[in-house]
Amino acid sequence: MVLPKQNLDDKTFGQLVEEERKLIPRYAPQWTDHNLSDPGITLIDLFAWLTEITLFRINLIRDSHKLKYLKLLGFTPLPPLPAIVDLSFRLKYLFSWDEIPGNENLLLVNYLELRYGIDVRKARIEKTNGNKTLIIFDNIHNISFGLDNDKNTVKLKIDGVTKDELVANNENGKLNIYDFSRRLTLPKGEVIRTEISGKTIYFELLGKISIVPLNLEKVIVDERTGGVFDRTGANEQADLFYAPFGMKDHENNTLYLGFDRKAEKLSFMVYLYEKDLEVEAGKHGDEKESGLIISEFTWEISILPDEGKWQTIDPGTIIDETEGFNKSGRIIFNDLKGWAASQNIVWKDTDNKSHFWLRCILKKSGFQYPPRIETISINTVCAIHGKTIKRDNTWKRIEEFSSSNTSNGMPSQVFISSAKPILARTLLVSVSGEYNEYFATWNEIPGRDNQRLLKYLENKFYFDWIGNANIEKNTTGNIIKIFDDRNKILLVLNVWKTKVSMVMDRRKVCDFAVRMQNPELKMYSGLWTEVDDFDGSGPDDNHYILDKEHGEIKFGDGLSGRIPPESSRITVVRYRIGGGNEGNFKAGYNWKVENEKKTVGHTLEIINHKPSTGGKDAEILNDAIERCLRDMKIPYTAVTSGDFEYIAMNTPGLRVAKAKAIPDYNKNDGENSKASVTIVVLPYTPIETFIAPPSPPPGFIDAICHHVDKHRLLGTQIHIEFPQFIRVNVSMTIDMVKGYPEKELTSTVKKELAFFLHPIKGWFDKKGWPIGRLVSRSEIFEYIRKIEGIKCILKISISGDNGSSLDANGNLNLPSEISTVYPGSISVIINKDLNKCRSGDVNG
């Protein structure tokens, strides 16, 4: 029930004046002149007017009030969110041998200029030696390209010296020339741009990518007892999918990937097919996924031609963002040395072509359901909307006749940027000469100050990975390395021991001051801290407020938040601009690397094969209030049965199809089950036909138990159980409408009845058979009789296994409250005796 909103502005000016006049005889009986000309009456009128204004203002609830109330509840409007897009890179050919001299002269000219700095725009180009030698007549250099007899390689000579050996590939009737000798690597954070409706849109790579010149030509799935299947076509066609380990995902089932070339490093994006999944992965507030359900694999490469020999890849050199094919993501291989082409695998092509094989063997299945791959895309990496700006001294103080980036020592100074909007958790601000925040001691790392250092870096730089990072110091003691499988930070102490530089991705992020305090080296930071407001800030706190949408930072007034010292320079160390709906666009755009020097000598084709998603404009206040109200309805403490069921079904990362909470029940201790809650859970699967009852994947029960345990009341015992499955067999005799196809009707009835008994997709609501509910003949009759072609149902017989029993009416009782059903044998008999049909009857 919503509390009624009080109207505080409930008195008018006239009512206030009249009330005051009535009080005069009580408090000042000698005052007898109540005319408007009396000075006292004038004062009454004045204060009544001021009171009316005050009541009007008090009665208003402004947006600033609503924002404060939201913050008290732990909510603030969301800032602009950046979109995410997957970018696929491909090395294009330098030029076509058949088109020179001719249409592609300019490609050849650009290659020589970018790669070797030679300008041959005015040179003459000719072919000699039966089109096997390409000569460029230049007044300065003697340049030639020589094609070998097999048309596989091209040697480039400049002034008689061999400079490069290029590769020739026959593609679609054209002999295209490639430079595969040098691997092109783009670092994390590299800026990529595209043009959309005349506007340049910037994205940054979320990971490093080494672009390798190879193609995925074969995808083979070995299901052992199930057979061997070529899934190459399914991998190349949109909206098709294949199961990399079969739909039964037995141990030792194997996925084979055949490539046309080898590489020492390789990465590809695995897109899982999830379009038909009816249950979303669980999400409960801001809680992270448990990560308890992991399958085990062995990755191997072919190493000896035609001998079927394989070499295991060191798991430490593999980065698996799919977390064992549980979600879409990249798989990165950093060491594929010894890779060789082979024909001798489980699949033989008619052309006997050799491939460089990479295989994944399923050693232990931890899948909730068999994974299904839509496509595997080579040389693909995620990018995020926005652009990072570093060491920005262009922020100016908002003040008339001023464009300075230095402090004037006055309270509540505001500095503004020309670039906006600013993405959340990206701004770092420093004030010159202000290294006054101690955060760790150099001598105690590694050691007792590890957590102090990691906590500081997490809070200041918003590193969500650093909590479990490793810390090492080199033998000379001047470099500290903080790292995990995917990230690395270096802290470098200078030779004078006065400064520590923080380096990421080979780029300096910022400096920290070092002060000798015998014999310790203490590190101090000059970075100021962003806060939502100055309510909790004291006069010595280095705090500021950021207006992300307008690109403004505001400093304190000396009482709430410190004032930057006069003449100190305000430097924005780093921030990112971008975000919003403009980052969402369709697939098929062409992209370029912003820093073209990174791709000298290479011709890159960059394209997004899928649309970018996730970009959102800044959340307006009313939307934030609605989000808060929705969140307040979400149970975070398990009290009722509905609370337990919701929390179990929303275990982060898991797809839970059904959950039923049974209070005061413990199947192992019936007498002492008070204060116990048993939650029966059923994992989601898109499989529609069960040959055998489904079983819980390893870690599934533990993950739910771990999650619910954090939200239970003290003293409540929880038990997470998997259902006891009952195989239900149904025999049915029906009479059909005259002239209706018998086989079609029989097939339809079997299919519909199997669907009705499905534990996940069945029942009337298509949300699965209710856990613990008996199988009633009347309910089967009600569901089946609506099928077109049925005249009447003459007989329904039900049977089940695993302790189930029939009651006097022929209904199937389940053995316990945690039991559920799945379809078994279904028999449909078409009655030939037309006289037996009685409308509306079901005979036993």
Side-chain angles (χ1 to χ4, degrees), residues 82-277:
I84 300 291
V85 69
D86 292 336
L87 298 179
S88 296
F89 295 76
R90 188 173 73 88
L91 287 172
K92 294 180 67 178
Y93 65 87
L94 301 176
F95 57 88
S96 176
W97 187 267
D98 305 317
E99 297 293 334
I100 294 181
N103 296 331
E104 297 190 2
N105 281 8
L106 184 58
L107 294 178
L108 175 61
V109 169
N110 289 340
Y111 166 70
L112 291 172
E113 184 173 1
L114 291 173
R115 179 73 172 88
Y116 297 102
I118 301 175
D119 185 359
V120 294
R121 283 175 291 182
K122 298 181 180 180
R124 183 163 53 90
I125 303 173
E126 291 183 1
K127 277 183 182 172
T128 62
N129 191 24
N131 285 338
K132 291 184 179 179
T133 304
L134 184 64
I135 300 176
I136 301 176
F137 295 93
D138 181 50
N139 294 330
I140 302 174
H141 299 284
N142 180 16
I143 304 171
S144 67
F145 292 83
L147 179 66
D148 71 341
N149 292 329
D150 295 330
K151 296 185 178 182
N152 291 327
T153 61
V154 174
K155 287 187 177 181
L156 167 61
K157 291 185 178 182
I158 301 177
D159 297 329
V161 179
T162 300
K163 291 292 187 178
D164 219 336
E165 186 171 296
L166 308 177
V167 175
N169 264 0
N170 199 327
E171 300 170 336
N172 299 323
K174 293 175 63 176
L175 193 63
N176 296 329
I177 310 303
Y178 291 86
D179 181 7
F180 290 161
S181 60
R182 294 171 299 114
R183 185 176 70 247
L184 175 60
T185 299
L186 297 177
K188 178 181 178 181
E190 189 67 42
V191 179
I192 314 293
R193 72 178 191 273
T194 189
E195 298 287 334
I196 300 178
S197 301
K199 184 176 182 179
T200 302
I201 305 294
Y202 296 97
F203 275 67
E204 292 180 342
L205 301 186
L206 282 175
K208 182 176 74 172
I209 182 171
S210 294
I211 303 164
V212 291
L214 50 72
N215 297 295
L216 177 60
E217 294 187 337
K218 279 291 178 183
V219 177
I220 307 297
V221 175
D222 181 6
E223 299 184 18
R224 300 293 172 176
T225 58
V228 181
F229 304 94
D230 185 349
R231 303 302 189 190
T232 309
N235 188 70
E236 295 173 349
Q237 296 184 38
D239 292 327
L240 294 181
F241 65 84
Y242 58 95
F245 308 104
M247 293 306 292
K248 297 180 183 178
D249 57 49
H250 292 314
E251 294 180 2
N252 293 318
N253 286 3
T254 306
L255 170 67
Y256 291 85
L257 304 177
F259 298 88
D260 62 342
R261 294 181 178 277
K262 67 178 179 179
E264 291 188 0
K265 293 186 177 183
L266 171 66
S267 69
F268 49 77
M269 185 76 72
V270 177
Y271 293 101
L272 297 185
Y273 185 86
E274 298 178 339
K275 298 177 182 179
D276 62 341
L277 299 184

Side-chain angles (χ1 to χ4, degrees), residues 603-621:
T603 306
L604 271 181
E605 180 184 88
I606 310 173
I607 191 169
N608 61 302
H609 294 294
K610 294 180 179 292
S612 61
T613 58
K616 293 182 180 180
D617 291 333
E619 187 178 39
I620 62 175
L621 182 59

Side-chain angles (χ1 to χ4, degrees), residues 452-471:
R452 291 186 62 133
L453 174 64
L454 296 180
K455 194 68 176 176
Y456 172 80
L457 295 178
E458 181 179 8
N459 292 337
K460 288 290 186 181
F461 296 89
Y462 314 111
F463 296 138
D464 54 3
W465 57 271
I466 206 167
N468 297 317
N470 302 302
I471 300 180

Side-chain angles (χ1 to χ4, degrees), residues 590-771:
N590 293 314
W591 300 69
K592 291 183 178 180
V593 178
E594 174 73 0
N595 186 356
E596 294 183 352
K597 293 181 180 179
K598 295 286 184 70
T599 60
V600 168
H602 293 282
T603 306
L604 271 181
E605 180 184 88
I606 310 173
I607 191 169
N608 61 302
H609 294 294
K610 294 180 179 292
S612 61
T613 58
K616 293 182 180 180
D617 291 333
E619 187 178 39
I620 62 175
L621 182 59
N622 287 340
D623 289 345
I625 293 173
E626 290 182 10
R627 179 167 54 88
C628 174
L629 294 175
R630 288 195 303 269
D631 188 81
M632 292 178 70
K633 295 178 181 179
I634 295 175
Y636 289 99
T637 301
V639 178
T640 68
S641 295
D643 295 341
F644 281 101
E645 291 169 358
Y646 180 91
I647 293 171
M649 290 191 66
N650 286 275
T651 301
L654 299 188
R655 298 181 192 269
V656 183
K658 296 184 75 65
K660 180 183 179 182
I662 308 172
D664 297 331
Y665 177 83
N666 178 3
K667 73 171 187 177
N668 298 319
D669 191 358
E671 296 181 358
N672 301 305
S673 58
K674 294 293 183 182
S676 292
V677 177
T678 294
I679 308 174
V680 188
V681 293
L682 187 59
Y684 175 78
T685 176
I687 299 175
E688 295 187 358
T689 303
F690 292 124
I691 299 175
S695 57
F700 182 83
I701 298 295
D702 291 339
I704 296 177
C705 186
H706 177 75
H707 178 63
V708 175
D709 183 63
K710 294 186 294 184
H711 299 275
R712 67 180 175 88
L713 293 176
L714 187 65
T716 304
Q717 297 182 9
I718 56 172
H719 307 275
I720 310 298
E721 297 287 349
F722 197 69
Q724 176 192 17
F725 278 95
I726 308 300
R727 186 175 189 267
V728 177
N729 306 311
V730 180
S731 177
M732 179 180 297
T733 302
I734 63 176
D735 192 2
M736 56 181 280
V737 175
K738 185 177 181 181
Y740 203 89
E742 182 176 333
K743 288 185 178 181
E744 180 180 335
L745 180 60
T746 301
S747 175
T748 301
V749 171
K750 287 183 176 181
K751 182 179 178 181
E752 288 295 326
L753 189 51
F755 181 84
F756 184 64
L757 296 171
H758 197 285
I760 296 173
K761 301 182 179 183
W763 190 240
F764 293 101
D765 60 3
K766 299 182 180 179
K767 294 182 180 180
W769 190 270
I771 295 173

Side-chain angles (χ1 to χ4, degrees), residues 326 362 499 511 561 756 816:
N326 277 312
L362 179 63
K499 182 176 71 173
D511 293 325
F756 184 64
S816 71

Side-chain angles (χ1 to χ4, degrees), residues 312 383 400 442 503 581 617 707 745:
T312 301
E400 190 174 6
W442 184 270
V503 179
N581 286 326
D617 291 333
H707 178 63
L745 180 60

